[in-house]
Amino acid sequence: MVDWVAEREADSAASAEASPSEQLLLVLDGFEGPLDMLLALGRDQKVDLTRISILELADQYLAFVAEARKVRLELAADYLVMAAWLAYLKSRLLLPEPEGEEPSGEDMAAALAFQLQRLEAMKGAAAQLFARPRLGIAVHSRGAPEDLDLRRKSVYEVTLFDLLRAYGQQRARKDAGVLHIAPVRLYSMEEAVRRLSSLLGHMPDWATLASFLPGGEGGGLLTRSALAAHFAATLELAKSGRVELRQEGAFAPLYVRGRRQGGRDGDISEETHSHD
Amino acid sequence: MIKEVTDAPEAEARIGRLRLLEALLFASADPLDEETLAGRVGPEVGVLLEELRAHYAPRGVNLVRTGGGWAFRTAVDLAPELRREEEVSRKLSRAAIETLAIVAYHQPVTRAEIESIRGVATSKGTLDLLMEHGWIRPGKRRETPGRPLTWITTDHFLDHFGLETLRDLPSVDDLRAAGLLDSRPVLLGLGTTGDDSALGADDEA
Amino acid sequence: MIKEVTDAPEAEARIGRLRLLEALLFASADPLDEETLAGRVGPEVGVLLEELRAHYAPRGVNLVRTGGGWAFRTAVDLAPELRREEEVSRKLSRAAIETLAIVAYHQPVTRAEIESIRGVATSKGTLDLLMEHGWIRPGKRRETPGRPLTWITTDHFLDHFGLETLRDLPSVDDLRAAGLLDSRPVLLGLGTTGDDSALGADDEA
């Protein structure tokens, strides 16, 4: 168990009896998304955020995700995208830098550290702002104003908010009866596992992971999340012994094939991210 | 105003009470009676009130005794210079706000188009009211049968709502993203209830 | 407060203006801007305001400057004795509080930028709630592809948080010096579904 999880549990008496999945849910409940969670993990390193170990942070986060998946807790897609990105970042930091245009692992780590510092700064600023003596709470205006109406050219009091809300409500009324739910444009790992499982039957030999990806429709984040989800799915399937993975070197294409009956080939390097 | 007292800490405490009394009277919506004030500043409230009254007597704001309580009021002799506007500010009707919003978003727009968007007949008075207010004005006639008059917003409209140009009006997508275009059923006239639920929902998120 | 001036009628006129200014400010719950006040008490309003501010500085009610306006407010140090229950923001969510801080410190800021800083999508009921409180409003559109709407804070925001100008935001200089107010491109576009291109474009600006 990751220690900060235990630490948070101590805050809540209710969690004492909770099952591991309930505990994780309680933990998740307290966060405004994966970046917020990373920040909390970072604070637990008890160092200045400018000297934070991104590598250690990545490990802690991946351990959390592994834990969540062990208890079959469905994580929001954002959390999985972050996990895939951190796994990638970790490999970039640990392995020799490849030639190429891509930002270096160090740059990527620095960018993440900046994001965390900036979020931390905004949280601090918010706290300072709301600690100020606020009007109507700590400081008070004239309780019995004598309405002199010096500036108001119009006798009608209507604000931009009133106007926009009226229009929004009018539009909503017009659309009433039709409930629009924006589709989640992210590929889930469950989908990827199902997809890979069914596809692998049709693939007799090694094939690149890229060849399993769904077609390019959607683009952008959807494609990136599909890659992340499929990558995570191969790890999951490898762990349960259903596929084998092979990679010639760092950043070389990742090959996948269904596990064969006989023993393993000598050159297979199995990649697993299990945390015991 | 503050008398010299030999005992320094006592003087300071007295100033503190006087300041609190001043703030309480300023912030209160209604006159405060001596009993209530005594509960906050202590039994010597009568002396303190007299001191405040004396301090404010020559100023633009006076401390006056009214009914059973005390309150600050602007000085009576300034009344002619402070004369209120006769018309008290009123809330614009819902129909008028909606009509104004539709003109803003759909201009140039004819009355028939406004009615078809709103789904109800628009009383002539609504457009007249908005025009009297300087928020909308007639635009060009539409070159269609009947050549109906179109309505557009004015510069005063932009000014009133603090917009630099019409392009700065949030788009429908912006409204949706900001939570101002809500697909949940809207209960007319129950704005407050709706807001509360939105607040609660946000907390859970 | 009233200085001895040799010219008696002039001194009297000055006292009259000071009293009127005091009454005008006292009568209004909201800040009044100098232009409005100058229209009532004349061009030397700045000097008179400073004189009033100095007179009220040690008292239980202070004259404060906020945004472009001036208003009487109870003294900050009396807050513990005057504290009311938080009615304004009974239960502002963390999302709303953080979003307000980001708008305040990064303005003008687009929704995609807010999301990239927080790393999550902005839930509905956040921006509209802040707007309903009168703290934020739409600013100009960013002149980048997609022309995204920006959000800025209002004068009421300054008034509510007791700030004279945006420069008085807590720690704003330190944060800027540390580069933490940069909208530097981020490598990981979390929470910004679909808006990635718009986001990239914003960041270049």
Side-chain angles (χ1 to χ4, degrees):
Chain A
M1 195 55 139
V2 195
D3 58 2
W4 61 273
V5 172
E7 203 175 295
R8 274 172 192 277
E9 274 162 19
D11 297 343
S12 163
S15 70
E17 308 271 309
S19 72
S21 63
E22 282 166 336
Q23 289 168 359
L24 281 168
L25 268 177
L26 277 176
V27 170
L28 269 180
D29 241 15
F31 293 110
E32 298 266 345
L35 200 59
D36 193 33
M37 174 183 274
L38 267 185
L39 186 57
L41 291 171
R43 286 202 199 101
D44 289 359
Q45 284 190 19
K46 299 197 171 38
V47 294
D48 189 321
L49 271 183
T50 52
R51 288 181 294 134
I52 199 165
S53 162
I54 293 292
L55 208 53
E56 193 180 322
L57 204 55
D59 280 338
Q60 283 178 296
Y61 186 91
L62 292 171
F64 167 81
V65 172
E67 190 67 33
R69 285 173 48 207
K70 206 181 288 173
V71 297
R72 307 203 179 284
L73 183 70
E74 273 208 43
L75 288 174
D78 272 359
Y79 284 85
L80 298 178
V81 171
M82 175 66 94
W85 194 83
L86 287 176
Y88 175 63
L89 172 61
K90 203 181 142 186
S91 70
R92 291 293 302 269
L93 287 172
L94 291 175
L95 299 170
E97 289 290 345
E99 303 288 317
E101 302 273 302
E102 286 217 33
S104 71
E106 297 296 324
D107 288 347
M108 290 166 66
L112 179 60
F114 170 74
Q115 266 184 287
L116 292 173
Q117 283 169 41
R118 189 171 60 177
L119 182 60
E120 173 86 339
M122 283 301 105
K123 283 174 185 289
Q128 283 187 62
L129 201 54
F130 278 82
R132 291 186 60 81
R134 293 163 58 193
L135 187 63
I137 297 164
V139 169
H140 304 278
S141 60
R142 178 78 179 111
E146 298 165 42
D147 196 358
L148 298 180
D149 216 352
L150 295 176
R151 294 169 297 171
R152 220 177 281 133
K153 286 170 196 149
S154 113
V155 289
Y156 286 105
E157 215 178 320
V158 51
T159 65
L160 184 60
F161 176 75
D162 296 331
L163 187 78
L164 299 181
R165 182 166 60 179
Y167 189 66
Q169 288 179 350
Q170 194 275 322
R171 289 287 296 230
R173 250 199 335 275
K174 218 178 152 194
D175 301 346
V178 187
L179 183 61
H180 298 286
I181 299 174
V184 178
R185 296 178 65 243
L186 285 175
Y187 213 88
S188 80
M189 199 179 70
E190 288 74 11
E191 263 178 282
V193 167
R194 270 198 305 277
R195 192 185 153 82
L196 275 179
S197 303
S198 67
L199 286 175
L200 278 169
H202 304 285
M203 294 277 184
D205 207 342
W206 294 107
T208 61
L209 177 59
S211 65
F212 288 99
L213 294 182
E217 113 282 2
L221 189 60
L222 181 62
T223 306
R224 296 208 312 270
S225 75
L227 179 59
H230 279 80
F231 175 65
T234 58
L235 298 184
E236 176 67 33
L237 291 170
K239 199 168 140 197
S240 60
R242 292 162 63 194
V243 302
E244 293 171 330
L245 301 176
R246 192 184 72 184
Q247 196 175 23
E248 303 293 356
F251 307 104
L254 191 62
Y255 286 87
V256 190
R257 73 170 172 189
R259 183 90 179 212
R260 301 201 158 168
Q261 301 293 13
R264 47 174 66 185
D265 293 347
D267 62 342
I268 295 169
S269 59
E270 259 205 34
E271 238 187 278
T272 57
H273 277 228
S274 58
H275 299 262
D276 302 303
Chain B
M1 119 222 165
I2 293 147
K3 287 172 197 149
E4 217 54 59
V5 185
T6 43
D7 186 355
E10 169 51 26
E12 208 168 294
R14 186 187 162 83
I15 292 171
R17 286 194 293 275
L18 208 55
R19 293 179 73 235
L20 178 59
L21 184 62
E22 201 173 20
L24 286 168
L25 288 164
F26 168 82
S28 173
D30 301 305
L32 294 170
D33 59 48
E34 287 188 31
E35 202 185 334
T36 307
L37 291 169
R40 301 297 292 268
V41 300
E44 56 164 336
V45 64
V47 186
L48 294 172
L49 281 167
E50 281 310 327
E51 190 168 333
L52 268 190
R53 169 143 81 176
H55 172 80
Y56 279 96
R59 304 196 63 94
V61 174
N62 303 150
L63 182 60
V64 298
R65 181 169 207 148
T66 163
W70 291 81
F72 278 118
R73 293 280 183 263
T74 51
V76 174
D77 67 303
L78 292 172
E81 294 180 81
L82 293 174
R83 205 180 321 112
R84 304 174 189 209
E85 299 272 328
E86 283 309 309
E87 274 182 290
V88 181
S89 84
R90 277 180 283 164
K91 289 269 180 224
L92 201 58
S93 76
R94 196 185 166 77
I97 296 178
E98 259 185 44
T99 303
L100 182 59
I102 289 167
V103 173
Y105 275 93
H106 296 265
Q107 61 188 299
V109 63
T110 67
R111 185 165 150 197
E113 286 161 354
I114 295 170
E115 290 180 349
S116 106
I117 292 169
R118 290 193 64 222
V120 288
T122 302
S123 74
K124 186 161 185 317
T126 303
L127 287 169
D128 286 348
L129 178 80
L130 294 175
M131 188 164 77
E132 270 167 37
H133 244 75
W135 282 327
I136 65 170
R137 64 187 183 81
K140 286 185 185 170
R141 288 191 179 274
R142 183 72 45 85
E143 291 305 334
T144 53
R147 303 189 64 248
L149 195 65
T150 64
W151 293 92
I152 57 178
T153 55
T154 61
D155 285 348
H156 176 65
F157 166 85
L158 294 177
D159 200 34
H160 181 96
F161 291 101
L163 298 165
E164 208 157 297
T165 73
L166 281 173
R167 298 189 314 168
D168 294 337
L169 269 179
S171 70
V172 170
D173 283 344
D174 291 326
L175 292 180
R176 185 173 288 120
L180 284 159
L181 200 162
D182 204 326
S183 298
R184 285 173 307 179
V186 177
L187 296 177
L188 296 186
L190 292 178
T192 342
T193 318
D195 296 343
D196 283 342
S197 71
L199 201 66
D202 195 48
D203 281 330
E204 287 153 31
Chain C
M1 119 213 163
I2 295 147
K3 286 175 196 147
E4 217 56 58
V5 185
T6 42
D7 187 354
E10 170 50 30
E12 207 169 296
R14 184 186 164 84
I15 292 171
R17 286 194 295 274
L18 206 55
R19 290 180 74 232
L20 178 58
L21 183 63
E22 193 175 24
L24 287 168
L25 288 164
F26 211 88
S28 173
D30 297 320
L32 295 174
D33 60 61
E34 284 189 29
E35 200 185 338
T36 303
L37 293 168
R40 304 299 290 264
V41 302
E44 58 165 333
V45 64
V47 185
L48 295 173
L49 282 166
E50 282 308 331
E51 189 168 333
L52 268 189
R53 169 142 80 173
H55 172 80
Y56 276 94
R59 306 196 62 94
V61 173
N62 303 150
L63 183 59
V64 299
R65 176 177 211 152
T66 172
W70 292 79
F72 276 116
R73 298 285 181 248
T74 56
V76 169
D77 66 302
L78 293 173
E81 294 176 89
L82 296 175
R83 188 167 291 277
R84 277 182 205 160
E85 285 307 301
E86 291 206 16
E87 30 184 278
V88 180
S89 58
R90 282 153 308 199
K91 272 163 120 195
L92 270 178
S93 67
R94 269 176 62 197
I97 290 173
E98 283 179 27
T99 301
L100 180 62
I102 291 168
V103 174
Y105 284 80
H106 290 263
Q107 62 186 300
V109 63
T110 68
R111 190 170 59 90
E113 287 164 350
I114 295 170
E115 294 181 343
S116 106
I117 292 170
R118 297 193 61 234
V120 284
T122 305
S123 67
K124 286 184 181 168
T126 301
L127 289 171
D128 66 329
L129 181 75
L130 296 176
M131 194 176 175
E132 189 169 10
H133 276 307
W135 291 333
I136 67 169
R137 65 185 203 83
K140 284 189 189 178
R141 289 186 179 278
R142 186 72 52 79
E143 292 302 336
T144 53
R147 305 192 59 250
L149 193 71
T150 64
W151 293 88
I152 57 178
T153 55
T154 61
D155 279 351
H156 179 67
F157 164 83
L158 295 176
D159 193 19
H160 184 87
F161 290 96
L163 301 164
E164 192 168 326
T165 71
L166 287 173
R167 287 190 301 278
D168 302 323
L169 281 170
S171 313
V172 69
D173 292 333
D174 295 341
L175 292 175
R176 184 166 295 121
L180 291 170
L181 299 186
D182 296 354
S183 53
R184 170 188 314 185
V186 291
L187 292 175
L188 183 58
L190 283 169
T192 54
T193 45
D195 284 9
D196 291 62
S197 61
L199 182 64
D202 286 345
D203 285 337
E204 283 155 32

